[in-house]
Amino acid sequence: REAPSRPPTKLLPVGSPVVAMAVSRIIKVAMLAALAPLSGAMSNHLEANPIRKVVTMLQAMQTKVTEEGEKAEEMFQKFMCYCKNSGGDLSGSIQAAELKIAELGPAIQGSEEKKLKTEEELKSDQDERMAAETAMAEATALREKEKAVYDQFMAESSPNLAALGKAIAAVEKGMAGGFLQTHAASVLRNFLSSSKDVMDTDRQEVLAFLSSKEGDEYAPQSGEITGILKTIKDEMFAEEQETMATEAAALKSYEELMAAKKKEVAALSKAIEEKLERIGALGVKIAEMKSDIGDSAESLDEDKKFLADLEKNCATKSDVHEEEKKMRAQEIVALADTIKILNDDDALDLFKKTLPSASMSFVQV
């Protein structure tokens, strides 16, 4: 006898295609699980309730979906943590690079200005050292000329003074004849013949004396000759002393000048060496800073691009995760609704009464 017809049981409201697909999949799984043991159940008069088995399977599915959601949420949080930390690191790196570039620009300009100023100072020091060395060379050349003139003067003055001294002594002792035969008389004769400092009358008197023959009498003029010779000697001696004093003063001035210039050259040489080292160090520093600013700018561009890609990927991942989370929640709701329906007493009664044709009845349900 056929069972009285009942109104069909409403499974659950289908709110979206996702829910419909989930319900369809659930029903198919439940149907296959229920139909498999029908023959054994019919022969054993339904020793076990197939609906309970389906409910158990659906509950297991519900648990699995929930666990998968929790695992997905954990992985998502880890990914977002990576996004946050990496983004923070990149932002810090970008900020540091921008600050570094901003600082390096003025630093390079300042170092270049300092290098230029040092180069100008170096050029000034080099010019001053060259001028000092030139002054030393000129002073040395002048000193050599002055010394040569002095030596020549002394080479002529000393023998002449000596000859004058011998002539005076000989005349005063009445030994003029013996003196006239000496080398000193010849020296004196040559001196008086070439000297422009001796008065002409005096020169003629002395030359006449020196030209007299041995044995000739020269008594009347001996006193006058002695006076002339002494006057010439005194003048020559005074000139010699003045020349020696002038030479000594010139030598002292030269030595003082050379000492001062050597000290100046030494100081300038030290300053030049220091400036050359400073210019070299500044050149290396400028090159390093320019290389650094280039590397920093390149790294900054790369970090900005990577950060933009990271933010885009993280945002996309967040959207995908939210969509998956929404679909998983809908699936859990569909499972819960199906379990609720299958646990309903009306569904159990219907299944028992239609057991001989369980496959068709379950499909209808």
Side-chain angles (χ1 to χ4, degrees):
R1 193 178 56 175
E2 295 182 359
S5 60
R6 293 187 181 186
T9 305
K10 186 177 181 181
L11 293 177
L12 75 169
V14 180
S16 67
V18 176
V19 176
M21 291 174 63
V23 171
S24 176
R25 180 159 63 91
I26 292 168
I27 292 174
K28 288 179 180 179
V29 172
M31 181 184 69
L32 292 174
L35 291 177
L38 280 179
S39 59
M42 290 172 64
S43 61
N44 294 323
H45 301 287
L46 296 174
E47 293 179 356
N49 188 346
I51 289 182
R52 290 300 173 199
K53 185 175 182 180
V54 172
V55 170
T56 300
M57 292 179 63
L58 292 176
Q59 289 174 340
M61 289 176 61
Q62 190 179 33
T63 301
K64 183 178 180 181
V65 171
T66 301
E67 291 175 351
E68 289 176 350
E70 293 174 351
K71 186 175 181 181
E73 180 66 23
E74 181 181 357
M75 295 299 293
F76 172 74
Q77 292 300 328
K78 289 182 178 179
F79 181 77
M80 294 308 294
C81 181
Y82 163 76
C83 290
K84 181 179 179 181
N85 292 336
S86 299
D89 293 342
L90 283 171
S91 297
S93 177
I94 290 171
Q95 185 177 2
E98 290 175 339
L99 179 61
K100 188 175 186 180
I101 292 172
E103 292 175 348
L104 282 173
I108 291 173
Q109 182 179 357
S111 296
E112 288 178 339
E113 292 175 354
K114 187 181 295 184
K115 181 172 178 287
L116 179 60
K117 182 180 179 181
T118 306
E119 288 173 342
E120 293 173 350
E121 292 175 352
L122 172 64
K123 180 64 169 57
S124 177
D125 288 346
Q126 289 174 333
D127 291 342
E128 289 181 12
R129 183 176 67 174
M130 185 177 295
E133 291 173 342
T134 301
M136 290 171 65
E138 292 175 349
T140 299
L142 178 61
R143 177 87 284 272
E144 290 174 352
K145 290 181 180 179
E146 291 175 345
K147 184 65 166 59
V149 172
Y150 172 76
D151 290 343
Q152 179 66 28
F153 173 82
M154 293 301 293
E156 295 175 356
S157 178
S158 295
N160 292 336
L161 281 172
L164 284 167
K166 291 177 180 180
I168 292 169
V171 173
E172 287 179 341
K173 293 178 181 180
M175 300 174 62
F179 170 75
L180 296 177
Q181 305 301 318
T182 64
H183 175 69
S186 177
V187 170
L188 184 58
R189 188 180 297 111
N190 291 334
F191 162 67
L192 291 171
S193 299
S194 60
S195 176
K196 297 179 179 180
D197 296 328
V198 180
M199 295 179 60
D200 188 58
T201 55
D202 292 341
R203 179 172 38 249
Q204 295 300 328
E205 287 287 337
V206 177
L207 287 175
F209 163 71
L210 294 174
S211 300
S212 63
K213 296 180 180 179
E214 184 178 359
D216 291 348
E217 294 183 356
Y218 200 76
Q221 292 85 3
S222 60
E224 185 178 353
I225 293 298
T226 301
I228 294 172
L229 291 176
K230 286 184 176 181
T231 299
I232 294 174
K233 180 184 177 184
D234 291 342
E235 291 176 353
M236 287 185 62
F237 180 77
E239 183 180 5
E240 184 180 78
Q241 292 300 308
E242 183 180 354
T243 301
M244 291 174 64
T246 302
E247 168 64 14
L251 178 61
K252 181 180 179 182
S253 177
Y254 169 75
E255 290 175 346
E256 290 175 350
L257 173 66
M258 293 300 292
K261 290 299 180 182
K262 286 179 180 179
K263 185 177 180 180
E264 181 182 358
V265 168
L268 288 169
S269 297
K270 182 179 180 181
I272 288 170
E273 183 178 353
E274 291 175 351
K275 286 180 175 64
L276 285 171
E277 292 179 357
R278 198 182 310 158
I279 289 170
L282 284 170
V284 172
K285 183 179 179 181
I286 291 169
E288 290 177 346
M289 288 192 294
K290 286 184 175 180
S291 176
D292 195 5
I293 198 172
D295 293 342
S296 297
E298 183 178 353
S299 177
L300 177 61
D301 291 339
E302 292 177 355
D303 287 347
K304 284 184 175 180
K305 290 178 181 178
F306 190 83
L307 180 60
D309 292 340
L310 180 66
E311 291 175 346
K312 180 180 178 181
N313 293 336
C314 290
T316 301
K317 180 66 177 178
S318 180
D319 293 341
V320 171
H321 175 70
E322 289 299 323
E323 185 63 26
E324 291 177 349
K325 188 175 179 180
K326 181 179 179 182
M327 293 176 63
R328 193 175 293 109
Q330 292 175 343
E331 188 173 358
I332 290 174
V333 170
L335 285 168
D337 289 347
T338 305
I339 292 171
K340 182 178 180 181
I341 292 171
L342 293 177
N343 281 330
D344 186 80
D345 292 338
D346 294 339
L348 182 61
D349 293 341
L350 176 62
F351 183 81
K352 289 179 179 180
K353 292 177 180 179
T354 58
L355 185 59
S357 57
S359 61
M360 294 301 297
S361 301
F362 195 85
V363 171
Q364 292 175 357
V365 175

